[in-house]
Amino acid sequence: MMGKTHVEMGSACWLGAVLAANLMGADVNPLIAGAGVAVAPAFAAGPFSPDADVTWLSFLGHRKATHRPDTTALVLTLITLVAWLALAPQMPFGTDALIWAPVAGWWSHLAGDMIFGGLPISKRIVAKGWIGWRLDTDGL
């Protein structure tokens, strides 16, 4: 997947998460859902996406050509959970749901890479160093 499709998938995953939350009774405001459509893509592609592991976060001991889903994505999700638990009671108008938009964008990037490109991980975990379907996107 490339940047443009990561952006689109980030928005789609956010909206899917909002729909699922609303079906379970969360009652996410449509304005908050719309705001998340702008926030999630910023974390699905670009410097705040999992691609950060291959650019400005590479000093963290990044494994070549991987997004470290086993560490970085889990840490982002846990930080978000802690922030949500601390901030949700003080946030007005149900805006606390918007805290989850970066997580939706981040995980949508990893999911897109797994489905369409394969997600590179350590060869110690998987013999070929890739997980996912690696669907071809170069033609019909």
Side-chain angles (χ1 to χ4, degrees):
M1 281 184 92
M2 301 307 286
K4 182 179 184 294
T5 49
H6 275 304
V7 166
E8 294 164 353
M9 190 158 176
S11 293
C13 285
W14 165 252
L15 289 174
V18 167
L19 177 61
N22 281 346
L23 288 173
M24 294 189 310
D27 198 28
V28 177
N29 185 308
L31 294 174
I32 302 304
V37 169
V39 173
F43 292 84
F48 300 112
S49 76
D51 286 340
D53 280 350
V54 297
T55 57
W56 65 278
L57 289 180
S58 61
F59 70 91
L60 293 174
H62 153 76
R63 294 184 303 269
K64 185 168 176 56
T66 69
H67 285 330
R68 297 165 26 121
D70 52 339
T71 55
T72 314
L74 294 175
V75 169
L76 174 68
T77 304
L78 289 174
I79 290 170
T80 302
L81 176 62
V82 169
W84 181 72
L85 290 172
L87 299 174
Q90 293 111 18
M91 296 184 78
F93 313 114
T95 54
D96 61 299
L98 197 55
I99 291 174
W100 291 100
V103 174
W106 189 278
W107 282 100
S108 76
H109 181 106
L110 296 174
D113 280 357
M114 237 167 42
I115 294 166
F116 296 105
L119 189 62
I121 63 169
S122 171
K123 288 189 178 193
R124 287 179 290 194
I125 298 171
V126 176
K128 294 185 180 181
W130 291 86
I131 59 173
W133 294 283
R134 301 181 84 177
L135 297 178
D136 186 11
T137 57
D138 291 332
L140 294 176

